[in-house]
Each structure stands twice: as C-alpha cells, then as structure tokens.
Amino acid sequence: MFPGTQTETENLGKNRLRNRSEMTDASEEAKQIEKLYEFGERLNEAKDKFESVKDYEGIIDATKTSLKAKQLAAQLIPRFFKFFPNLSSRALNAHFDLIEEEDLAVRVQAIRGLPLFCKDTKEYISKIVDILGQLLTAEEFVERDAVHKALMSVLRQDVKESLTALFKHIWNVEDPGQDDTIRDKVLCFIRDKVFPLKAELLRPQEEMERHITDLIKKSLGDVTGAEFRMFMDFLKGLSVFGEKVPPERLKELIGIIEGQADLDAQFDVLDADHIDRLISCLFMAIPFFVESAGMCGLWSSKKCLSDCFSKWKCGRCSICCTPGCHFAVHVTCCSIIFLLLVFQLLYYENPMDAFGSCKRQSQAI
C-alpha cells in the first residue's frame, strides 16, 4: 500500500458518512415541513377547527425540531391560537421559546407573530406588550425593527391597555428585577414612536389624552431632568391642555411642575441637582403662569425664598469657607430670586407692587 493511502481512504469514508448524515437531516427537515403544511391546510379547511386539535398539537411539537420547521411553526401557532383555548398555555410557552432561539431568523419570525395572539384574545395584550417591551433591548437591527412594528400593531389593537402595560416598565424603578436598560429603551420607544403619532393613536381623543396624562403623572416619581422635560413637552401638545382650556387645566400642569420641584424638601443652595431641578421647573411654569393660572406654589414657597435671601449676602457666606464657593452661592441665589421676581411681575398689574412684594419678603427674613 502506498504511503498515505490508508489516511486518504479513511477521510473519504468520513466525508461520505457526513454527506449521508446531511442528506438524512435535509430529508427529515423536508418531511417535517411537509407535515406542517398538511396541518395548516387541514386547519384552514376545517369548518369546526376545535375538532382538529391533533393538528394544532403537531404544530406546537414542531417547535422542538429543525430550524426551518421552527420558522414555519412560528407562523402557524399564532394563526390558529384563538381556536384552541385549552392549549393556550402550551402554545404560548412554545412560541416564547422560539423568541429565545439562537437563530436570528427564527426569533424574528416569532416576534412578528406576537400581535396575532391578542388580535382576537384581548386578555393577552398586557402579557404580549410586556414581552415586547423587554425585547426592545435587542441588538440586531432586523430584530429590533420587528419588535417596533409588533408593538405598534398591538397599540393599534388596544391603545389603552397597551400603553398601560408599556408604562409599567417605567414605573417599576424600585423593582430589584427591573433592568434600567429596558426602562430606557421603553422611554425612547414612547418618545420616538408613540408621541409623534398621538393624533392617530389617542382615540377617543379626550379619554385617551386623560389616560396618558395619568400614566405620565405616575411615571414622574423618579425621572431625570431630560425625561421630565420630554413628558412636559408632550403634555403641552395635548388638546386637553391646549388653547382656550379652563384655568383648572393649566393649574394641573403647574401642579405637576410643583411636584417635580419638590418644594417641601429641605432647600440647599449647594445641592446642584436640586438647584437645577428648581430653576428648570421655574422656567417651565412661567408660560402657564402668563396664561392666567394665577399665583402658584413655586413663588409662595417661603422656605425657598427665605433660604435664597439668607444666603445672598455679600461677604457673609456662612455655609463654608471654600474659595469660590461664595461666588457660586451668590450666582445661584441671584438666578432663583430673579425668576421668582418674574413671577411677581406677571402676577401684579403694577410693576412697583411686584418690587414692593419682593422687598417685603427680604425685609421679613
């Protein structure tokens, strides 16, 4: 025997075995897909689909087979889901397993099928939206795009229930199991996809605008300055807070701003976050104040004003002796007092009355 002949023969044998195995796998996969098509055709043609339970069970079982069979099963499971309530848990769990598959094509197909689960079975909307909210963190563009489209589809089916489920990802900030990444992605989705389509989605208009206002109010317990401004910009664009609305509506917005300003908290001019929040809230409140909302707590908070005046004394920074600290305190207090003076000017018809009020406040301290 020539050198190397035995090794070459062994390799040739292994290749033949591998090819036979691949052919067997392909043949098996073809049979699985053919079987799935048969299940689907029989279910389509059946007048009483409830009697074709074996066919639907066969589709569910296909989620444990080949990749192409899994893709087809991901289309068929939600299509016939409503006809088999007794198999709902089994069908949902099998479909959710497909969403966690390693293969991208299987995951995308499974995501696309999610809105069909609640098309005729509304009780699953909250669950499906919750899952889609978690999937917003997907890294692959095609997968993330499928999630966006699926969420929009469910929103159009039942916007009230869907928004409530979506906002829960923002509320649960103190939940140890809540992922901040999911919360951030949900906020981005609401900002980029939901808010721009408010005219289309929020129907009936007044009812849904009130509902989303309540959802936003509930979300303000722990938000950043940018998130708060985003929510306020959206609320200002709603018709319930638009032109020619009763003063009570404007006062409601000011109440939201006052709540975010946290006027009852201990005022500290050295707390940068607190100062930034207070000044931002003062700026936000001025337009509503001009529109006849009247005197508000942002001006009448005597503690805030008292602390500002007491710290605003040239050469008398009693807080600390750090170089440069006095200047920062001085500028901060000037900024706040200036904004509070603006509120007084807007409130009083006579400008001198406004200055007189400020003078009385300062003399009382």
Side-chain angles (χ1 to χ4, degrees), residues 151-182:
L151 264 174
M152 293 306 299
S153 177
V154 180
L155 276 164
R156 289 184 171 95
Q157 290 178 31
D158 190 327
V159 64
K160 189 173 186 177
E161 186 71 22
S162 299
L163 283 176
T164 302
L166 202 56
F167 267 85
K168 285 180 181 178
H169 286 290
I170 304 173
W171 301 339
N172 299 330
V173 289
E174 297 181 358
D175 184 352
Q178 176 69 18
D179 187 347
D180 285 341
T181 304
I182 295 175

Side-chain angles (χ1 to χ4, degrees), residues 4-194:
T5 303
Q6 184 175 358
T7 303
E8 292 175 0
T9 303
E10 289 175 353
N11 289 337
L12 184 59
K14 289 179 182 179
N15 289 335
R16 286 175 178 172
L17 288 173
R18 189 183 299 113
N19 291 337
R20 286 176 184 173
S21 175
E22 290 175 355
M23 289 176 64
T24 302
D25 290 343
S27 176
E28 186 64 28
E29 183 178 66
K31 289 179 181 179
Q32 293 166 357
I33 292 173
E34 184 179 356
K35 198 70 175 174
L36 277 171
Y37 277 119
E38 289 177 7
F39 292 150
E41 287 176 7
R42 282 202 294 266
L43 283 168
N44 272 327
E45 294 171 359
K47 292 183 179 179
D48 191 353
K49 292 179 173 52
F50 300 99
E51 296 180 357
S52 303
V53 64
K54 292 294 183 183
D55 291 331
Y56 195 61
E57 286 178 330
I59 293 172
I60 295 173
D61 292 338
T63 58
K64 304 298 183 184
T65 57
S66 65
L67 291 179
K68 289 186 178 180
K70 288 177 181 179
Q71 280 185 258
L72 184 54
Q75 297 179 48
L76 297 175
I77 289 174
R79 185 183 302 175
F80 301 107
F81 176 76
K82 65 179 180 180
F83 300 111
F84 303 97
N86 293 333
L87 295 174
S88 59
S89 295
R90 185 177 163 190
L92 282 171
N93 289 334
H95 198 88
F96 294 159
D97 286 343
L98 295 179
I99 292 173
E100 298 178 358
E101 275 285 329
E102 291 185 8
D103 185 78
L104 176 62
V106 174
R107 294 201 308 271
V108 170
Q109 189 60 61
I111 290 167
R112 288 171 178 167
L114 286 175
L116 293 176
F117 283 108
C118 39
K119 187 175 181 180
D120 298 292
T121 47
K122 301 295 185 183
E123 62 269 26
Y124 292 105
I125 285 179
S126 182
K127 187 177 185 69
I128 296 301
V129 171
D130 176 59
I131 291 170
L132 286 168
Q134 297 176 51
L135 292 173
L136 285 169
T137 58
E139 295 181 359
E140 296 287 346
F141 172 79
V142 66
E143 186 175 6
R144 195 165 59 251
D145 183 62
V147 173
H148 288 173
K149 289 177 179 177
L151 264 174
M152 293 306 299
S153 177
V154 180
L155 276 164
R156 289 184 171 95
Q157 290 178 31
D158 190 327
V159 64
K160 189 173 186 177
E161 186 71 22
S162 299
L163 283 176
T164 302
L166 202 56
F167 267 85
K168 285 180 181 178
H169 286 290
I170 304 173
W171 301 339
N172 299 330
V173 289
E174 297 181 358
D175 184 352
Q178 176 69 18
D179 187 347
D180 285 341
T181 304
I182 295 175
R183 179 184 179 278
D184 293 342
K185 293 296 183 182
V186 169
L187 276 169
C188 289
F189 176 81
I190 291 172
R191 179 195 65 200
D192 299 336
K193 302 294 183 180
V194 177

